[in-house]
Amino acid sequence: MMQTSVEHAASATDLTKRYGTGDGAVTALRGVSAAFPRGRFTAIMGPSGSGKSTFLHCLAGLDTATSGSVVIGGVEITGLSRTRLTRLRRDRLGFVFQSFNLLPMLTAEENIRLTGRLGGRKADGAWFDTVVDALGLRGRLAHRPGEMSGGQQQRVAVARALLTRPEVLFADEPTGNLDSRSGGEVLGFLRTAVDAYGQTVIMVTHDPAAAAHADRVLFLADGLLVRELDEPTIDGVHAVMRGMEG
């Protein structure tokens, strides 16, 4: 693996992504460049079809860019073998999706510990306790997903993602299946993870209220990075989105 600067937790340079060939080809990203400082919470927004989820997936190594560069924690991931990329995702990244992706036959505690066990690593006991208690899951550790609400399941998914202390936590519409109260609780803990524990979070969302929890918002349109908003508010995000859709 080629080592590069570790000033940022993640960065993309001239990232492009095309699907298909010839007249039917679709260009989802058109030379997007962005850097994500350590210990910061960045939201990515844009209209439907803007390329925001494609951008997140290319950053996280879940999809392969057509051209350009992606660096995670000082490692250039472009061109890594599938085995090395899988190992990097498992060992150095955390993921939270709209669907909770919990194994129904496992308890909450077993789901939380799963990623570390797959990597052959024993979780730090004090950190496990910190994450579980901060997310209010102490009384749910013996429950299986079917015995928990959607908000509780998503908190289990967040705990699982954080237990390995990832270089970056990637969240793709993490509140999409939750009511406003449960979604607010999950977003509040992501905010706490950044402020209290120095976690780096990169989140795709369509919700201005969710984006307002971030330190900044990147706006994509037609595969291009068109705007950046620091210290976002709900009204400020709404205003930018209205301008993009007008």
Side-chain angles (χ1 to χ4, degrees):
M1 300 183 188
M2 183 178 71
Q3 300 290 322
T4 61
S5 171
V6 294
E7 178 184 355
H8 299 105
S11 63
T13 304
D14 293 329
L15 206 62
T16 66
K17 178 63 180 180
R18 288 187 296 275
Y19 295 99
T21 59
D23 293 340
V26 175
T27 301
L29 298 175
R30 306 172 185 270
V32 177
S33 297
F36 301 87
R38 295 181 182 280
R40 298 272 286 173
F41 189 164
T42 302
I44 301 172
M45 299 192 75
S48 178
S50 63
K52 58 185 183 293
S53 287
T54 299
F55 184 42
L56 184 87
H57 292 172
C58 288
L59 280 173
L62 298 171
D63 199 356
T64 303
T66 303
S67 63
S69 171
V70 174
V71 175
I72 298 287
V75 177
E76 167 64 72
I77 72 170
T78 309
L80 285 183
S81 69
R82 181 172 297 182
T83 298
R84 289 187 174 184
L85 187 57
T86 297
R87 188 179 302 127
L88 180 140
R89 289 197 303 259
R90 182 193 68 201
D91 295 344
R92 301 184 64 177
L93 304 180
F95 299 94
V96 180
F97 298 101
Q98 183 172 337
S99 57
F100 313 128
N101 292 334
L102 303 180
L103 295 183
M105 72 291 296
L106 300 182
T107 65
E109 179 170 359
E110 290 167 339
N111 270 289
I112 292 168
R113 295 185 183 276
L114 182 62
T115 301
R117 286 179 173 171
L118 290 174
R121 292 170 296 156
K122 185 176 180 179
D124 175 84
W127 179 239
F128 176 86
D129 288 339
T130 296
V131 170
V132 165
D133 290 337
L135 282 161
L137 292 170
R138 179 64 60 185
R140 293 290 180 175
L141 292 178
H143 290 71
R144 289 181 170 80
E147 301 171 310
M148 294 184 286
S149 69
Q152 290 164 347
Q153 291 184 63
Q154 191 64 302
R155 281 186 274 153
V156 170
V158 171
R160 178 182 58 192
L162 287 170
L163 192 61
T164 57
R165 298 178 186 256
E167 191 81 34
V168 182
L169 191 155
F170 291 98
D172 193 352
E173 299 283 9
T175 61
N177 284 336
L178 304 179
D179 59 43
S180 58
R181 178 182 175 183
S182 296
E185 290 174 351
V186 169
L187 290 163
F189 183 74
L190 291 178
R191 182 71 258 174
T192 299
V194 173
D195 294 337
Y197 310 128
Q199 181 62 56
T200 304
V201 176
I202 302 175
M203 175 183 72
V204 161
T205 183
H206 69 280
D207 182 2
H213 284 77
D215 296 301
R216 64 169 182 163
V217 184
L218 304 182
F219 296 90
L220 271 67
D222 297 323
L224 296 169
L225 180 60
V226 296
R227 182 79 183 270
E228 181 173 336
L229 182 65
D230 290 320
E231 299 182 3
T233 63
I234 296 175
D235 289 343
V237 173
H238 268 301
V240 174
M241 291 297 292
R242 283 196 298 269
M244 293 172 66
E245 295 168 354

